[in-house]
Amino acid sequence: MAKQIWKPGNMLYPLPVVMVSLADRDGRPNIITLAWAGTVCTNPPMVSISVRPERYSYHMIDETGEFVINLTTEKLAYATDYCGVRSGKDVDKFKELHLTPEKAEYVSAPLIAESPVNIECKVVKETPGSHHIFLAEVKAVHVDDAYMDQKGRFALEKTDPIVYVHGQYYSLGKLLGTFGYSVKKPTKKNGKKKKK
C-alpha cells in the first residue's frame, strides 16, 4: 500500500469536540468550541485544552484560571459550530442559542445545562505555543440523570456524542466491541461454548 509523506502536523483524528464555558472577572459568560481537548491523568484527575491567544476566550481563562468542559451531542451540533465561529465579544452566545447557564460548584464559570456532562476545571499550568495549553485539575463532574441506566451506570453512548474530523462533525457509529474483547475467552452456556 502506497503512502505519502507529509510535513509534521496535527493529524490525530477524530477528536472530541467540546464547548468550553467560562466567565471573565466581572462574571460575563462566554462559550468557545474546541477540538483540542484531552484526558491527561486519572489521579489526580487532569485534562488539557489548547486555545490560541488571539481568541476572545483566551484572556478569560488566563485571568481566572477556570473553565468548564461541556460534552457535545447531535442535538448540540449547531450550537457547537456556532460557538466556534462567532466571537463572544460580538454576541452573547448563551442568549443567542437559548442555552441555559447553570451555577457550578467549584468554579465561577457556568455549566451549560443542555450538555449531558459538565467538567469543572481549575488551571494548574499554562504552556505557550501557537495554542496555549491549559493543564487543569478536574474539580467536579456533573452528569445528566436522564442517561443513568438501571445498574447505575452513566450511558454516555445514549447522549449521541459527536466528534470532529478535520473541519467536519460526525456522530458516532455502531458499537464494535468493548475494552478487552479481543482477548476475552468464550463464555459457556449449558456446558457448551457460546459462539461469538
Side-chain angles (χ1 to χ4, degrees):
M1 175 177 4
K3 290 189 177 177
Q4 298 179 17
I5 299 176
W6 291 0
K7 67 179 182 179
N10 293 309
M11 282 296 289
L12 183 61
Y13 291 109
L15 295 166
V17 58
V18 298
M19 291 192 290
V20 174
S21 50
L22 30 94
D24 65 17
R25 286 181 176 162
D26 297 322
R28 283 187 298 267
N30 191 37
I31 305 167
I32 182 174
T33 296
L34 300 174
W36 290 7
T39 298
V40 174
C41 188
T42 301
N43 190 17
M46 306 279 287
V47 294
S48 69
I49 61 170
S50 297
V51 184
R52 288 194 322 265
E54 299 82 26
R55 297 292 295 265
Y56 177 70
S57 296
Y58 165 80
H59 299 288
M60 294 181 180
I61 301 170
D62 187 50
E63 289 172 4
T64 65
E66 300 178 340
F67 58 89
V68 177
I69 294 175
N70 303 275
L71 299 193
T72 56
T73 64
E74 287 184 28
K75 286 181 182 176
L76 289 170
Y78 179 88
T80 300
D81 184 65
Y82 186 94
C83 290
V85 296
R86 291 284 184 251
S87 175
K89 66 182 161 191
D90 302 323
V91 64
D92 179 338
K93 297 177 191 178
F94 275 100
K95 185 177 179 182
E96 187 70 22
L97 296 165
H98 308 289
L99 295 174
T100 311
E102 267 186 0
K103 186 172 176 10
E105 293 292 318
Y106 297 96
V107 300
S108 58
L111 314 175
I112 299 174
E114 290 76 11
S115 171
V117 178
N118 319 97
I119 306 167
E120 295 187 46
C121 305
K122 286 203 178 208
V123 176
V124 296
K125 183 178 180 183
E126 180 179 348
T127 304
S130 64
H131 293 65
H132 285 219
I133 303 166
F134 292 99
L135 182 66
E137 186 171 353
V138 174
K139 302 311 271 182
V141 177
H142 304 254
V143 296
D144 190 332
D145 285 339
Y147 299 101
M148 298 299 292
D149 69 16
Q150 291 143 345
K151 294 181 180 178
R153 182 184 77 90
F154 181 70
L156 181 62
E157 70 280 2
K158 301 288 186 196
T159 70
D160 297 322
I162 59 174
V163 294
Y164 182 80
V165 180
H166 201 62
Q168 299 175 314
Y169 306 98
Y170 289 92
S171 59
L172 296 180
K174 64 181 179 180
L175 175 67
L176 301 177
T178 57
F179 181 76
Y181 83 99
S182 63
V183 295
K184 189 174 181 181
K185 297 189 191 291
T187 57
K188 291 182 179 180
K189 188 173 183 181
N190 298 333
K192 297 179 182 176
K193 284 188 177 179
K194 186 180 175 184
K195 292 183 180 178
K196 290 184 180 179

